[in-house]
Amino acid sequence: MLAFIPLLLVTFIFQAQAFCVHNDLKDEKTIKAALLDDRISVFRRFKKTIPPHWLECCNPSEPTCVVEKKEGVPVFFEIEFEWKQTEDNKRKVECVSGGRVFIKGTEEKYWAECETRTGRSEVPLVPLWAES
């Protein structure tokens, strides 16, 4: 019976959140994460400062998280890194609603991973000024 508890917990976590953003940077730096969705007012959409080794999640019933209110819809985030004080300190990352974004690495080498019900994979952190 106890063997099923982790599986139930993972299922609950995926069902309970529209998405989560994790700060897993190794150099103890804070990040800022903001949902990029023009259909939601810039004043109302998900925006969080995430300290090291912490996460912030958004409830799926909250219309400021995912307009479609269903799992598997592409979601885009702006990630701002604390360590850089230039115009180039922001990146864009894509995951899906119901998933989790993990920001990993250090200032010298950093990356993002998107986790869904089917697994976790590395996803690009694209400069905001780059065309998608």
Side-chain angles (χ1 to χ4, degrees):
M1 181 66 180
L2 291 178
F4 293 110
I5 291 176
L7 180 60
L8 291 173
L9 182 59
V10 168
T11 302
F12 171 75
I13 288 171
F14 275 107
Q15 289 176 347
Q17 306 301 334
F19 53 77
C20 293
V21 179
H22 296 251
N23 179 354
D24 283 350
L25 292 172
K26 291 186 181 190
D27 50 6
E28 304 295 320
K29 298 294 184 176
T30 297
I31 61 171
K32 293 179 182 174
L35 181 66
L36 296 173
D37 190 332
D38 291 336
R39 299 169 298 172
I40 302 170
S41 163
V42 70
F43 302 108
R44 297 192 48 166
R45 68 179 81 145
F46 174 88
K47 283 182 288 207
K48 300 289 182 177
T49 298
I50 308 172
H53 314 293
W54 197 253
L55 72 143
E56 290 287 346
C57 298
C58 204
N59 189 306
S61 65
E62 179 62 45
T64 59
C65 294
V66 179
V67 174
E68 290 83 358
K69 294 187 183 173
K70 64 181 182 180
E71 193 175 301
V73 176
V75 288
F76 296 88
F77 300 95
E78 173 186 298
I79 305 296
E80 183 175 351
F81 294 96
E82 178 184 83
W83 59 66
K84 295 185 179 180
Q85 299 301 319
T86 67
E87 300 258 336
D88 196 30
N89 66 339
K90 296 179 182 177
R91 295 286 187 265
K92 180 171 63 173
V93 65
E94 178 182 359
C95 196
V96 295
S97 58
R100 295 171 165 267
V101 173
F102 294 81
I103 306 300
K104 303 182 88 55
T106 64
E107 183 174 358
E108 289 75 35
K109 180 177 176 11
Y110 55 93
W111 67 94
E113 295 173 357
C114 175
E115 182 178 79
T116 66
R117 287 182 187 268
T118 59
R120 189 189 292 195
S121 60
E122 191 170 327
V123 290
L125 277 163
V126 180
L128 281 181
W129 48 262
E131 291 188 32
S132 24

